[in-house]
């Protein structure tokens, strides 16, 4: 975990075994942060079958859905709750053979906010996972059933 001199978190380690953000990425998005905001990076999905027996396919339709999402609301929601928006996704791109890598902001929560505890848990690394929500198109592929298209909502 690293903290910059502007007092916002820039590397939570969401990318296992490697640095979550490189210096160029950090510099690219620092200007979009206010004091106390958190800059996070990690995998929003991988191409492995998950606990719900689902997996994303690395198709152009998925990347198109990601582009539409990032160019739209791009909300970071807590546990897929659209009434608990914590920040904004800046970037979401497919990494061939691996998954969907995300860079996002978690907005600073004032002491009086009912979401302050969530902000603190992200800041401390207690909450350290990402997941996409939305409407998914599924199809049978040579690798088995996969999500081949998506309208991401958070």
């Amino acid at each position: 975990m690293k903290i910059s001199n502007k007092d916002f978190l820039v590397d939570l380690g969401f990318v296992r075994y490697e640095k979550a953000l490189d210096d160029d990425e950090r510099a690219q998005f620092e200007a979009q942060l206010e004091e106390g905001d958190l800059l996070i990076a990690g995998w929003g999905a991988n191409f492995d079958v998950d606990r719900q027996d689902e997996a994303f396919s690395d198709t152009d339709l998925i990347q198109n859905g990601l582009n539409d999402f990032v160019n739209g609301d791009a909300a970071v929601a807590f546990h897929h709750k659209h009434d608990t928006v914590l920040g904004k996704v800046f970037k979401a791109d497919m990494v061939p053979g691996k998954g969907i890598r995300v860079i996002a902001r978690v907005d600073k929560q004032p002491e009086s906010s009912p979401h302050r505890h969530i902000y603190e848990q992200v800041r401390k690394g207690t909450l350290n996972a990402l997941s996409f929500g939305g409407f998914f198109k599924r199809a049978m592929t040579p690798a088995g059933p996969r999500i081949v298209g998506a309208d991401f909502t958070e």
Side-chain angles (χ1 to χ4, degrees):
M1 182 179 343
K2 294 183 179 180
I3 299 179
S4 81
N5 59 5
K6 291 186 179 180
D7 194 31
F8 55 81
L9 207 56
V10 294
D11 187 344
L12 287 174
F14 285 152
V15 180
R16 185 173 282 182
Y17 308 123
E18 56 188 89
K19 195 172 174 184
L21 288 163
D22 64 32
D23 291 339
D24 290 338
E25 290 172 324
R26 186 171 29 256
Q28 180 182 359
F29 297 107
E30 277 182 351
Q32 298 180 52
L33 303 174
E34 295 179 8
E35 187 174 335
D37 289 347
L38 309 178
L39 183 61
I40 62 172
W43 298 104
N46 60 41
F47 297 135
D48 298 331
V49 176
D50 66 15
R51 287 183 247 176
Q52 295 178 324
D53 205 27
E54 292 189 317
F56 283 91
S57 178
D58 54 354
T59 67
D60 288 343
L61 291 175
I62 298 293
Q63 185 61 59
N64 292 343
L66 291 169
N67 293 343
D68 290 345
F69 172 67
V70 170
N71 291 324
D73 290 338
V76 174
F78 180 67
H79 280 272
H80 306 292
K81 297 176 186 170
H82 294 257
D83 61 342
T84 309
V85 174
L86 302 176
K88 180 172 177 54
V89 174
F90 292 139
K91 185 176 180 181
D93 289 312
M94 288 192 329
V95 177
K98 290 185 94 174
I100 300 169
R101 187 164 178 278
V102 176
I103 299 175
R105 177 190 72 229
V106 174
D107 300 332
K108 180 181 180 184
Q109 297 294 308
E111 294 282 337
S112 60
S113 170
H115 307 306
R116 177 64 184 220
H117 69 286
I118 300 168
Y119 166 85
E120 286 296 333
Q121 288 178 321
V122 172
R123 187 181 70 79
K124 292 177 180 179
T126 305
L127 291 176
N128 60 6
L130 301 169
S131 177
F132 275 107
F135 300 96
F136 304 121
K137 179 181 178 187
R138 294 164 174 84
M140 186 57 70
T141 71
R146 295 289 183 265
I147 297 170
V148 295
D151 178 8
F152 295 101
T153 59
E154 49 88 21

